[in-house]
Amino acid sequence: MKVLVMGLGNLLMNDDAVGVLAVQELKKLYRDTDTLKIIDGGTLGLDLIHYLEWADKLIIVDGVNLNLPAGTVVRIEGEDINVVFESKLSPHQMGLKDILLAAELIDCRPSDIVLFGIQTKNIDMEMNLSEEVKSNLPKLLVHVSKEIESVFHL
């Protein structure tokens, strides 16, 4: 099984950066192989579709707005992911919604998709995570690592 871990976000927008920062940390723990790729998807949108064509399983890491306490880590899978991106947190999320739809239309949407999100507090144009998100980033990394390791039986 080919697993793609894709962190999304904008490093200039406080808590919106959490997906990108998470994959930067994951890259220190796991190396890319023929069956595992960890990428910084940033805010690229449809430019990421060729990665989806490669993957059997997609693990998305991103900041979310689900009206939960700031820093709350969530795991969402399947069609529930589409609902999360109905109310966009930032412009890249509309891009993710579009890329998943485009992948479905050209029949390359991974059959297994999981989103690990963390409830954001602040997405202003600064470069600092809120304390709530920063303190729960390790928890987010543990959850994503467990998902990766469960696929490869590590």
Side-chain angles (χ1 to χ4, degrees), residues 48-72:
L48 298 169
I49 200 148
H50 68 279
Y51 289 105
L52 290 167
E53 291 175 315
W54 173 85
D56 300 309
K57 179 180 182 87
L58 172 62
I59 301 171
I60 303 164
V61 186
D62 200 2
V64 296
N65 184 11
L66 299 173
N67 298 315
L68 297 168
T72 301

Side-chain angles (χ1 to χ4, degrees), residues 68-132:
L68 297 168
T72 301
V73 174
V74 296
R75 181 187 190 277
I76 301 168
E77 59 186 317
E79 293 304 313
D80 291 337
I81 290 171
N82 296 333
V83 176
V84 172
F85 294 113
E86 287 298 321
S87 60
K88 65 179 182 171
L89 176 64
S90 66
H92 74 268
Q93 286 185 336
M94 188 53 75
L96 181 61
K97 181 180 174 186
D98 291 343
I99 193 173
L100 291 176
L101 178 60
E104 190 171 325
L105 290 172
I106 63 172
D107 199 30
C108 72
R109 181 177 170 145
S111 58
D112 189 357
I113 302 176
V114 178
L115 165 68
F116 285 95
I118 190 165
Q119 175 66 50
T120 61
K121 179 178 182 179
N122 180 0
I123 56 166
D124 293 332
M125 292 296 286
E126 298 174 2
M127 295 177 63
N128 301 304
L129 293 179
S130 66
E131 281 305 313
E132 293 89 341

Side-chain angles (χ1 to χ4, degrees), residues 137-153:
L137 180 56
K139 180 179 179 181
L140 177 66
L141 293 171
V142 166
H143 285 284
V144 176
S145 293
K146 284 182 180 178
E147 188 79 22
I148 293 167
E149 292 171 11
S150 73
V151 172
F152 298 109
H153 308 290

